[in-house]
């Protein structure tokens, strides 16, 4: 098969570009340690969330020095916690969110950040986020979940360490 | 020489009918698109926010499935008859698949649009991705299944034509256009298997109440098994036109026939084992599987990059045939006045830009920033919404005369219309990309929230909204001009040679292509192996984790009374009064809460 | 001056729009926050140049570009 010289150069360039993309993304995943949402969170029975040791009482759990777990249940059309009560975490902490849905597929996006995951019934999504200075973030559902999807929102309060107290954690 | 309609009058009727359905879908879909663009930017709200999702479902289904695929079956039927130089084996089979596809479309469309009429107890506001456990009326799924089976029959029709042709021409190379059709259909058979299993084995029985529950991650994964290759299914008719028609319109001929074949074979192999890239942020799928999908996706860039080269080289060749000179000034020698050429060239250019935003999406970790934001519709309105849709509209200006025997009513209107589409899309999709970077979500009737605002880096959110709405308006006008032009063409009188429909032979002829390229069975086999490799483990682990049928019962989009009451109780305190006025479900919810109180 | 066909002129007009829209983004990238009106002004300037070229080309038709498209 006859391949024109320019075509060969182009082909080589294209392959180089592709390999380059894969290399940078692999570096991001392995070297820089950008974590992906994966199957770590395990499964949960969506109709029996109240039997789960943590999801039955969703909220912030302290797991270590400056380390917290936040359990969030998404449902048509709210986050619990998040919507009626904001999610509260202390400033300068490392927080792992555990998110599931008790009905349909929802999304979980901390507005203006790349903390972004799906909430799929039967699955638990986990994402770990570093919080810095005290502030407030918006929270929204970014997957269509029914006719009031646009009303599904909430907030996350990053509370100053000085104001952080026992009543803000479940355990 | 007689044109297509004279040589293949029966086939021409099928192509005409397919185009007619496609254009009706385009008109309705574009109208809904305009309403959406105005509604979600809060410029003009003529519908309730609840109905927004009904229109959005219709917009997705009518444009991304009905318009594109009906146009595709029209072009492919044309390409098969013209390329094999013989009529289709049995025109009754041809009408049968057309009938099945159309019936399916009508069923699905009725199920969706019934959602606008509260009196009809039917709704399917599940968007064109229909993620379970949101549940639609069974007619929605059944219509989709009929539509897909119709496309399978169409493929069978074209393969039968191939068999007949092969019988008479045992030693010839498959002509290029039919080669493109057949490889595309192989890809389609391999990839629609996923959605067919999801719909026929799980969603239809579930919506009919024959099975209680589904596994949402499983049906979702099966959907995306099909959801990426469908992108190439949309794109292949555009590629067919870019490879075989655009060079001719530019005044030249295709650069290399063998490379065109290589590109289509690559699509057969790589289109399917990538679907998990739409699930980068899904829980329940191990990172390794996502990684495999990512690398395959990156390699899938290759055929498109090769296409860019071949198409640009062929167009340049055409320009030089027309007397173009210099490094860049040959561009001026191209037939920009021809709407078919100008439209396709603009579509190709927009595709290059769409390709860049696609590379961002494909980056597993950058994807976190843009997943499910407005960035995504920004991206695919450049690709399917322009590279494909605009190529189809432009191609119509060259194809319609052949299948009707009538000259285009107005080429200036045609040119104006394709340019208007390009301009409209620049506004709309650029602003959507920027909005997405700020975190504004897609698929949302009202991306205006009580708890927070979006912060713009350059300009303001208000500007972004204006640009989306303005762009949407131009796009809609462009469709109006297009449909007017098509209808007026159809109303003209027949002439002898409405358009020059010869396609010159490529510079590098097919004889240079290795014979193995025409070995369709081999490529099918490899494609299946790659799919098995990429999907067996993820599917197996999803099934072992949560069971084949999972444990999710169906949920209506219009929520149950109890959930309504709860939504009212939890959300209302946060919602300011005037914002609540737009939210019908919350009004209803407040009422429901009262009713519940009473009945207790 | 090279003669522009009306078709090419229209297509070039279309190309000025992404230039104008992105002009501000690029400026923002370099730290200049330009107001919305600058985008419109930039577009007007581009259109003026294009129209100028087009009109001049029409006024001085040259013989060798016989290929009208
Ligand atoms: C008149 C032209 C068009 C306008 C004004 C328009 C407008 C829009 C808007 C504003 C959205 C975003 C809705 C949202 O996420 O909330 C949207 C979504 C979409 N559009 Fe278009 N569009 C047009 C043409 C097209 C074409 C030609 C196609 C494909 C061939 C297309 C395919 C889609 C799809 C697949 C979606 C996503 C639906 C979903 O999220 O479920 N659109 N369109
Ligand atoms: Cu939602
Ligand atoms: Cu994809």
């Amino acid at each position: 098969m006859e391949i024109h010289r320019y075509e060969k150069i182009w082909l080589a360039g294209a392959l180089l570009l592709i390999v380059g993309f894969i290399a940078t993304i692999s570096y991001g995943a392995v070297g820089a340690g950008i974590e992906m949402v994966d199957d770590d969170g395990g499964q949960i029975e969506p109709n029996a969330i109240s039997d789960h040791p943590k999801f039955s009482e969703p909220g912030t759990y302290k797991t270590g020095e400056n380390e917290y777990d936040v359990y969030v249940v998404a449902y048509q059309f709210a986050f619990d916690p998040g919507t009626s009560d904001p999610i509260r975490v202390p400033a300068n902490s490392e927080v792992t969110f555990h998110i599931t849905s008790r009905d349909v597929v929802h999304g979980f996006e901390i507005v203006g950040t790349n903390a972004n995951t799906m909430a799929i019934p039967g699955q638990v999504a986990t994402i770990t986020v570093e919080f810095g200075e005290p502030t407030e973030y918006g929270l929204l559902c970014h997957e269509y979940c029914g006719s009031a999807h646009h009303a599904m929102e909430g907030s996350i309060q990053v509370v100053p360490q000085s104001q952080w107290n026992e009543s803000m954690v479940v355990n | 020489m007689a044109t297509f309609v004279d040589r293949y009058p029966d086939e021409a009727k099928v192509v005409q009918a397919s185009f007619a359905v496609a254009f009706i879908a385009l008109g309705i879909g574009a109208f809904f698109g305009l309403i959406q663009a105005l509604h979600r930017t809060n410029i003009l709200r003529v519908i309730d926010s609840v109905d927004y999702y009904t229109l959005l479902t219709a917009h997705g289904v009518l444009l991304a499935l009905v318009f594109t695929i009906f146009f595709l079956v029209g072009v492919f039927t044309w390409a098969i008859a013209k390329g094999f130089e013989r009529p289709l084996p049995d025109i009754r089979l041809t009408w049968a698949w057309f009938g099945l596809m159309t019936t399916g479309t009508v069923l699905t469309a009725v199920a969706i649009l019934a959602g606008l009429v509260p009196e009809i107890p039917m709704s399917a506001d599940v968007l064109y991705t229909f993620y379970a456990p949101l549940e639609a009326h069974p007619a929605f799924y059944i219509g989709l299944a009929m539509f897909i089976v119709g496309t399978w029959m169409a493929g069978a029709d074209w393969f039968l034509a191939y068999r007949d042709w092969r019988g008479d021409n045992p030693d010839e190379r498959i002509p290029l256009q039919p080669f493109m059709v057949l490889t595309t259909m192989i890809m389609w058979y391999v990839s629609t298997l996923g959605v067919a299993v999801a719909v026929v084995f799980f969603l239809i029985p579930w919506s009919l109440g024959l099975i209680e529950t589904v596994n949402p991650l499983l049906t979702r994964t099966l959907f995306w098994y099909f959801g990426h290759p469908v992108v190439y299914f949309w794109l292949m008719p555009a590629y067919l036109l870019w490879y075989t028609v655009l060079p001719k319109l530019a005044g030249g001929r295709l650069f290399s026939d063998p490379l065109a074949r290589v590109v289509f074979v690559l699509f057969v192999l790589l289109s399917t084992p990538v679907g998990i890239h739409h699930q980068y942020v899904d829980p329940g799928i191990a990172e390794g599987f996502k990684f495999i999908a990512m690398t395959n996706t990156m390699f899938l860039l290759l055929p498109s990059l090769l296409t860019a080269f071949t198409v640009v080289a062929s167009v340049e060749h055409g320009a030089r045939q027309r007397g173009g000179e210099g490094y860049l000034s040959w561009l001026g020698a191209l037939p920009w006045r021809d709407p078919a050429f100008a439209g396709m060239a603009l579509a190709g250019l927009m595709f290059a830009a769409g390709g860049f935003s696609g590379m961002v999406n494909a980056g597993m970790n950058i994807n976190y920033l843009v997943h499910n934001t407005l960035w995504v519709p920004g991206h695919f309105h450049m690709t399917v919404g322009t590279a494909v849709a605009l190529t189809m509209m432009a191609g119509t200006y060259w194809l319609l005369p052949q299948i009707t025997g009538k000259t285009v009513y107005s080429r200036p209107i045609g040119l104006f219309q394709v340019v208007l589409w390009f301009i409209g899309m620049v506004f709309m999709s650029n602003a959507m990309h920027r909005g997405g970077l700020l975190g504004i979500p897609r698929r949302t009737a009202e991306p205006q929230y009580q708890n927070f605002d979006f912060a713009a880096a350059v300009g303001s959110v208000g500007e972004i909204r204006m640009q989306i709405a303005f762009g949407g308006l131009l796009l809609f006008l462009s469709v109006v001009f297009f449909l007017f032009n098509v209808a007026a063409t159809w109303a003209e009188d027949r002439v002898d040679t409405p358009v020059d429909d010869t396609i010159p032979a490529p510079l590098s002829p097919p004889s240079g292509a290795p014979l193995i390229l025409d070995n369709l069975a081999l490529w099918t086999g490899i494609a299946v192996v790659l799919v098995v490799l990429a999907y067996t483990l993820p599917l197996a682990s999803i099934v072992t984790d949560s069971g084949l049928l999972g444990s999710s019962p169906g949920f209506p989009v219009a929520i149950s009374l109890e959930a309504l009451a709860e939504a009212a109780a939890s959300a209302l305190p946060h919602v300011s009064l005037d914002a609540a006025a737009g939210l019908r479900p919350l009004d209803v919810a407040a009422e429901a809460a009262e009713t519940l109180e009473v009945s207790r | 001056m090279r003669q522009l066909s009306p078709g090419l002129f229209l297509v070039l007009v279309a190309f000025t729009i992404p230039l104008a829209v992105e002009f501000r983004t690029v400026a923002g990238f370099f730290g200049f926050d330009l107001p919305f009106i600058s985008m419109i002004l930039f577009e007007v300037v581009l259109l003026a140049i294009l129209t100028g070229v087009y009109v001049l080309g029409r006024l001085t038709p040259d013989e060798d570009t016989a290929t009208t498209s």
Side-chain angles (χ1 to χ4, degrees):
Chain A
M1 180 161 87
E2 187 205 327
I3 302 182
H4 200 274
R5 191 164 65 90
Y6 287 127
E7 204 147 22
K8 282 189 187 144
I9 298 175
W10 180 267
L11 182 66
L15 282 171
L16 207 67
L17 183 78
I18 290 170
V19 173
F21 277 141
I22 296 178
T24 44
I25 292 168
S26 310
Y27 171 75
V30 183
I34 302 178
E35 241 191 290
M36 305 276 305
V37 176
D38 57 15
D39 56 350
D40 281 352
Q43 282 71 43
I44 182 170
E45 181 59 41
N47 307 317
I49 283 180
S50 49
D51 298 342
H52 189 277
K54 301 281 172 52
F55 279 113
S56 55
E57 219 181 318
T60 308
Y61 288 78
K62 188 170 168 81
T63 53
E65 195 55 39
N66 275 333
E67 284 177 18
Y68 295 83
D69 274 352
V70 176
Y71 289 81
V72 182
V73 178
Y75 59 93
Q76 284 176 327
F77 298 102
F79 297 104
D80 178 19
T83 300
S84 343
D85 302 302
I87 294 173
R88 289 196 186 82
V89 294
N92 302 312
S93 59
E94 186 183 297
V95 177
T96 301
F97 288 93
H98 302 251
I99 302 138
T100 193
S101 160
R102 71 168 197 225
D103 44 42
V104 300
V105 178
H106 297 276
F108 179 94
E109 174 185 327
I110 305 181
V111 180
T113 73
N114 64 354
N116 186 327
T117 183
M118 305 304 299
I120 299 181
Q123 309 288 336
V124 179
T126 54
I127 44 174
T128 300
V129 178
E130 306 266 346
F131 284 104
E133 294 305 301
T135 176
E136 185 166 330
Y137 290 100
L139 185 66
L140 66 81
C141 170
H142 64 53
E143 185 56 88
Y144 169 67
C145 55
S147 34
H149 161 60
H150 45 269
M152 182 161 170
E153 60 170 313
S155 60
I156 299 183
Q157 280 177 3
V158 184
V159 181
Q161 287 280 2
S162 54
Q163 289 165 32
W164 184 252
N165 64 54
E166 288 304 302
S167 74
M168 296 176 183
V169 287
V170 181
N171 57 344
Chain B
M1 207 180 63
T3 195
F4 188 86
V5 59
D6 303 315
R7 273 184 290 166
Y8 310 107
D10 294 339
E11 285 70 17
K13 283 211 190 75
V14 179
V15 183
Q16 286 181 16
S18 306
F19 280 10
V21 177
F23 296 151
I24 293 171
L26 175 65
I28 304 175
F31 179 57
F32 291 171
L34 175 65
I35 298 182
Q36 286 155 218
L38 297 175
H39 187 100
R40 63 167 290 143
T41 53
N42 202 5
I43 307 249
L44 176 68
R45 288 193 169 152
V46 294
I47 50 164
D48 271 330
S49 285
V50 186
D51 291 334
Y52 181 87
Y53 304 104
T54 312
L55 296 194
L56 186 58
T57 309
H59 178 81
V61 169
L62 286 178
L63 289 174
L65 296 176
V66 181
F67 162 59
T68 50
I69 296 181
F70 265 96
F71 193 89
L72 174 147
V73 294
V75 176
F76 279 11
T77 303
W78 166 84
I80 286 284
K82 187 175 165 77
F84 285 143
E85 297 184 350
R86 61 195 305 147
L88 290 172
D90 186 345
I91 202 72
R92 284 170 306 180
L93 172 61
T94 314
W95 281 113
W97 59 249
F98 174 81
L100 190 59
M101 283 176 69
T102 310
T103 315
T105 301
V106 170
L107 211 57
T108 300
V110 166
I112 298 170
L113 294 177
L116 295 175
V117 190
E119 286 73 33
I120 308 178
M122 208 184 196
S123 99
D125 305 343
V126 289
L127 306 190
Y128 83 113
T129 45
F130 51 89
Y131 297 139
L134 268 185
E135 193 176 30
H137 190 277
F140 174 84
Y141 304 110
I142 294 172
L144 280 183
M146 290 168 72
F147 178 77
I148 295 206
V149 173
T151 62
W152 290 351
M153 284 167 57
D157 194 10
W158 302 326
F159 269 98
L160 287 176
Y162 168 56
R163 199 187 56 178
D164 288 359
W165 172 85
R166 188 45 101 197
D168 297 345
N169 304 274
D171 301 318
E172 280 201 33
R173 300 304 296 255
I174 308 176
L176 185 58
Q177 287 188 331
F179 180 87
M180 292 171 162
V181 171
L182 299 178
T183 42
T184 304
M185 290 317 290
I186 293 176
M187 179 199 89
W188 184 242
Y189 284 121
V190 173
S191 65
T192 39
L193 209 62
V195 73
V197 168
V199 170
V200 174
F201 291 150
F202 299 115
L203 299 178
I204 292 181
W206 173 70
S207 65
L208 289 171
L210 302 177
I211 56 175
E212 292 284 310
T213 56
V214 289
N215 178 342
L217 186 57
L218 179 62
T219 47
R220 186 178 158 84
T221 307
L222 287 171
F223 178 85
W224 285 117
Y225 168 100
F226 145 90
H228 193 80
V230 74
V231 168
Y232 290 100
F233 196 56
W234 299 328
L235 207 54
M236 289 307 102
Y239 272 33
L240 184 146
L241 294 172
W242 292 354
Y243 270 105
T244 62
V245 177
L246 185 61
K248 175 242 158 52
L249 295 175
R253 50 186 64 220
L254 173 62
F255 196 62
S256 162
D257 172 297
L259 268 156
R261 288 177 201 250
V262 170
V263 164
F264 275 75
V265 166
L266 282 172
F267 279 124
V268 173
L269 300 184
L270 287 174
S271 290
T272 311
V274 297
I276 289 182
H277 70 205
H278 291 260
Q279 298 176 283
Y280 282 152
V281 306
D282 277 15
I285 299 179
E287 185 165 352
F289 301 142
K290 295 178 177 174
F291 195 81
I292 293 172
M294 184 277 288
T295 48
N296 287 348
T297 306
M298 291 299 175
F299 277 104
L300 201 44
L301 282 175
L302 187 64
S304 288
L305 289 169
L306 289 179
T307 301
F309 180 89
T310 313
V311 171
V312 172
S314 311
V315 168
E316 180 184 344
H317 172 76
R320 300 209 186 276
Q321 296 295 305
R322 298 169 59 94
E325 282 163 359
Y327 267 120
L328 282 177
S329 36
W330 56 266
L331 284 167
L334 289 167
W336 292 108
R337 213 179 234 183
D338 177 0
F341 173 83
M344 285 192 211
L346 292 174
L349 201 82
M350 190 70 95
F351 190 53
F356 283 114
S357 77
M359 292 177 202
V360 171
N361 301 344
M364 210 156 66
N365 19 37
I366 323 176
N367 179 271
Y368 277 74
L369 200 61
V370 296
H371 174 77
N372 266 357
T373 65
L374 254 196
W375 171 283
V376 177
H379 160 73
F380 63 63
H381 279 93
M382 292 181 120
T383 51
V384 63
T386 299
V388 175
L390 184 55
T391 300
M392 288 179 171
M393 288 189 269
T396 303
Y397 291 120
W398 188 72
L399 287 167
L400 199 59
Q402 298 180 39
I403 59 155
T404 58
K406 299 164 181 180
T407 43
V408 170
Y409 171 74
S410 162
R411 284 159 53 101
I413 294 184
L415 180 64
F416 175 72
Q417 175 260 318
V418 295
V419 170
L420 193 63
W421 185 277
F422 179 86
I423 297 176
M425 199 52 91
V426 166
F427 278 110
M428 187 171 94
S429 117
N430 177 286
M432 281 179 160
H433 277 97
R434 284 170 51 188
L437 287 179
L438 309 181
I440 302 180
R442 67 183 283 203
R443 301 184 146 180
T444 295
E446 305 182 17
Q448 296 100 25
Y449 294 91
Q450 270 75 53
N451 283 308
F452 52 89
D453 286 317
F454 298 102
V458 177
S460 68
V461 174
E463 271 171 36
I464 289 180
R465 285 189 191 141
M466 291 305 293
Q467 286 182 28
I468 292 178
F470 180 60
L473 180 64
L474 297 188
L475 287 167
F476 174 70
L477 291 177
S478 170
V479 169
V480 171
F481 284 115
F482 172 75
L483 293 178
F484 167 75
N485 216 354
V486 166
T489 304
W490 233 305
E492 303 249 298
D493 290 328
R494 288 276 293 264
V495 295
D496 269 347
T497 320
V499 72
D500 168 16
D501 64 356
T502 51
I503 295 181
L507 276 176
S508 308
S511 52
L515 265 182
I516 193 168
L517 281 177
D518 286 14
N519 188 341
L520 299 179
L522 173 72
W523 303 123
T524 314
I526 302 182
V528 170
V529 170
L530 287 177
V531 167
V532 168
L533 285 179
Y535 267 103
T536 315
L537 289 177
L539 286 176
S541 83
I542 291 170
V543 170
T544 35
D545 283 346
S546 314
L548 196 58
L549 294 180
S551 39
S552 286
F555 289 90
V557 288
I559 40 185
S560 67
L561 277 188
E562 196 189 340
L564 275 165
E566 244 180 80
S570 62
L572 271 183
H574 282 270
V575 180
S576 67
L577 269 181
D578 54 353
L583 308 177
R584 198 173 70 185
L586 294 184
D587 294 350
V588 180
E591 282 161 26
E594 277 162 25
T595 346
L596 276 181
E597 218 75 73
V598 175
S599 63
R600 266 178 201 153
Chain C
M1 177 126 300
R2 196 169 193 301
Q3 194 174 343
L4 296 182
S5 72
L8 181 57
F9 174 66
L10 189 59
V11 169
L12 288 176
V13 167
F15 282 164
T16 59
I17 290 171
L19 287 182
V21 172
E22 284 308 336
F23 163 71
R24 246 170 101 235
T25 317
V26 174
F29 189 74
F30 289 105
F32 302 104
D33 267 340
L34 300 175
F36 188 68
I37 188 83
S38 67
M39 181 173 113
I40 294 168
L41 283 180
F42 190 69
E43 174 66 19
V44 170
V45 171
L46 287 178
L47 286 184
I49 296 174
L50 258 185
T51 317
V53 172
Y54 179 69
V55 172
L56 281 180
R58 292 276 126 175
L59 292 180
T60 56
D62 53 359
E63 309 313 316
D64 18 281
T65 44
T67 44
T68 45
S69 33

